[in-house]
Amino acid sequence: MSVIIKQVTDRKGLRRFAKFPNDLYRGNKFFVPQIVSMDMDTFDPRKNRAFEVCEGEYWLAQDETGKIVGRIAGIINHKYNEKVGQKICRFGWIDFIDSQEVASALLAKVEEYARNKGMDFVEGPVGFLEFDVAGVLVDGFDQIPTAYGKYNDPYYEPMILKEGYTKSTDFVEYLITVPENVDRYIKLGELVGERYGFRQGEFKNKKELVRKYVDGIFSCLNRCYSPLHGFSELTPAQCEDLKNQFISNLQLDFVSVVVDKDDKVIGFGITLPSLSKALQKANGSLFPFGFIHILRALKKNDTIDALLIAILPEYQDKGVNSMIFSKIGGGMIKHGIKYVESTRELEDNHSVQNIWGRFEHHLHKRARVYIKSLK
């Protein structure tokens, strides 16, 4: 096969870039299409504040007939590179047909980009920031991913390894069965609050949640996530982007903000009703009917996705996790939730995984990030 790599330079090309995996996996019952217009906003420097600290380019692979057969992004997160003292180029949003030639051409283009930028390593798949989709699925091909994960066919890993890449780190995902005796854990959370003088932050609506606690939530997040692989501290503008992205979908019964006696945020948990099946029905578009499927999923569901959980280090041994589960557990009872999906967690992020340790759970998906030295 003759593979032609073309850089994306206009809005039409960006749409083709965003839409490619939806075409590639059309009819696959495990694939969850992303909303094309939302992905396009992610790739647009005018709409994504990640470009305050990042730069990037996008490429499409075409065969000799002009058919798109692959895509890839090359990204440099300057803030993260400064933090770790390394020159790393990221590759992200990689998808390709079952062809070593295509995989090789895509990765070679990113490596060329990295060398031209003076980088020493290529690592991926990762996005601009920690909250972009990351990793190649290597286990769990018979599972539907969360809305914040990604499906790919099994041939991705062997083809990436053949290009000289090795494992950098893994992300894992757990399926947790909600226990029948949730009341027991709710009571435990109440006892922890009484013992240490902690309490649930009070908010009657989303507007009040934002006004009273969103700054404390992001401050807690930045501090807790700082040691994690691939994370660079979020700027105020990037926090604003995340707030706008998620606040409208929040169900307050599935949000916990734990505060001390001075109303300072010391930990929080944010979960959302699963949108995976709704996104499959939406098939990449909010209109004319996609948004209806999403609204229905937000109101009626038996599964929630654990999106963000963080507890300040000095409070991690004081049972704050019990308080977080106590609040969200009450929401589970109220709404008939049977399962919790953990979104992708670093395999060595034991502080988060310990939260699930007391419940029936099993690891059912694993995604891998790879690295290659250019020296």
Side-chain angles (χ1 to χ4, degrees):
M1 176 192 295
S2 176
V3 182
I4 303 166
I5 303 294
K6 290 191 174 182
Q7 185 177 347
V8 173
T9 58
D10 57 23
R11 192 76 178 167
K12 180 179 178 181
L14 201 61
R15 175 171 288 279
R16 297 173 77 192
F17 183 91
K19 189 173 177 289
F20 172 69
N22 295 0
D23 294 334
L24 179 64
Y25 290 107
R26 191 176 304 279
N28 185 308
K29 65 181 181 179
F30 300 114
F31 178 72
V32 176
Q34 295 301 295
I35 302 298
V36 172
S37 60
M38 295 177 67
D39 270 5
M40 289 177 68
D41 287 348
T42 298
F43 304 138
D44 190 339
R46 297 168 299 178
K47 297 184 178 182
N48 186 352
R49 315 290 182 89
F51 283 89
E52 290 181 333
V53 299
C54 297
E55 61 177 291
E57 294 183 8
Y58 318 112
W59 299 276
L60 289 168
Q62 298 178 345
D63 65 14
E64 58 272 9
T65 70
K67 180 181 177 181
I68 298 174
V69 291
R71 69 168 187 172
I72 198 168
I75 300 162
I76 299 174
N77 184 322
H78 297 286
K79 188 171 185 178
Y80 179 74
N81 285 355
E82 290 172 6
K83 171 186 169 181
V84 299
Q86 293 183 308
K87 297 178 180 180
I88 302 170
C89 174
R90 303 175 171 197
F91 72 87
W93 288 281
I94 183 172
D95 288 288
F96 49 91
I97 65 171
D98 189 356
S99 166
Q100 188 70 48
E101 292 173 282
V102 176
S104 179
L106 289 169
L107 291 167
K109 175 54 69 173
V110 170
E111 292 166 21
E112 176 189 350
Y113 170 76
R115 290 189 176 94
N116 290 340
K117 294 289 183 177
M119 299 293 106
D120 295 328
F121 300 92
V122 175
E123 184 177 38
V126 287
F128 298 104
L129 302 176
E130 175 74 15
F131 305 102
D132 294 319
V133 65
V136 162
L137 187 69
V138 295
D139 189 22
F141 299 104
D142 59 347
Q143 303 290 316
I144 298 176
T146 68
Y148 313 97
K150 183 177 179 295
Y151 178 86
N152 58 260
D153 276 333
Y155 60 78
Y156 279 42
E157 178 173 60
M159 292 187 180
I160 291 173
L161 293 175
K162 193 170 182 179
E163 297 304 317
Y165 288 80
T166 57
K167 174 186 170 181
S168 174
T169 190
D170 277 5
F171 291 90
V172 293
E173 297 182 48
Y174 293 88
L175 181 66
I176 302 98
T177 301
V178 176
E180 294 182 1
N181 58 338
V182 173
D183 289 341
R184 168 189 171 191
Y185 299 100
I186 293 175
K187 183 62 177 177
L188 176 61
E190 293 172 351
L191 292 173
V192 168
E194 293 172 3
R195 178 178 181 182
Y196 292 105
F198 306 150
R199 61 180 177 81
Q200 294 288 341
E202 298 177 0
F203 42 88
K204 298 177 182 177
N205 50 52
K206 296 173 188 177
K207 185 176 181 180
E208 190 173 9
L209 168 65
V210 171
R211 178 176 59 82
K212 294 176 67 174
Y213 297 119
V214 75
D215 289 342
I217 286 172
F218 281 119
S219 176
C220 179
L221 184 151
N222 268 333
R223 186 174 167 197
C224 293
Y225 280 50
S226 180
L228 298 182
H229 180 89
F231 182 80
S232 59
E233 183 177 343
L234 297 171
T235 68
Q238 291 161 9
C239 291
E240 187 70 18
D241 275 356
L242 284 173
K243 181 181 73 175
N244 293 335
Q245 183 179 352
F246 294 113
I247 286 295
S248 62
N249 289 336
L250 290 185
Q251 161 58 265
L252 296 185
D253 288 335
F254 301 139
V255 176
S256 170
V257 180
V258 180
V259 299
D260 65 10
K261 59 182 177 61
D262 298 316
D263 213 30
K264 173 189 173 184
V265 176
I266 61 173
F268 69 92
I270 297 176
T271 64
L272 292 174
S274 173
L275 298 180
S276 296
K277 293 180 180 179
L279 287 172
Q280 286 184 325
K281 294 176 182 177
N283 196 30
S285 179
L286 288 174
F287 302 101
F289 304 115
F291 74 97
I292 297 175
H293 298 302
I294 292 173
L295 289 176
R296 286 174 177 167
L298 290 171
K299 292 179 179 179
K300 186 176 182 180
N301 219 309
D302 68 353
T303 303
I304 57 175
D305 294 341
L307 184 60
L308 292 171
I309 297 177
I311 302 168
L312 292 177
E314 59 268 35
Y315 297 99
Q316 289 180 0
D317 60 348
K318 298 185 184 301
V320 175
N321 57 334
S322 296
M323 294 188 66
I324 292 172
F325 185 82
S326 174
K327 167 70 187 317
I328 296 174
M332 292 178 187
I333 295 175
K334 179 179 177 181
H335 295 278
I337 299 300
K338 298 179 181 179
Y339 304 101
V340 179
E341 281 260 21
S342 75
T343 49
R344 291 185 177 180
E345 310 163 353
L346 286 164
E347 61 181 339
D348 57 356
N349 190 358
H350 302 299
S351 62
V352 171
Q353 291 159 24
N354 287 341
I355 295 175
W356 317 126
R358 69 184 68 182
F359 310 122
E360 180 185 342
H361 68 287
H362 69 277
L363 194 163
H364 69 150
K365 284 173 278 188
R366 180 181 293 269
R368 186 156 294 158
V369 174
Y370 306 88
I371 194 166
K372 179 178 180 179
S373 174
L374 300 179
K375 298 179 182 178

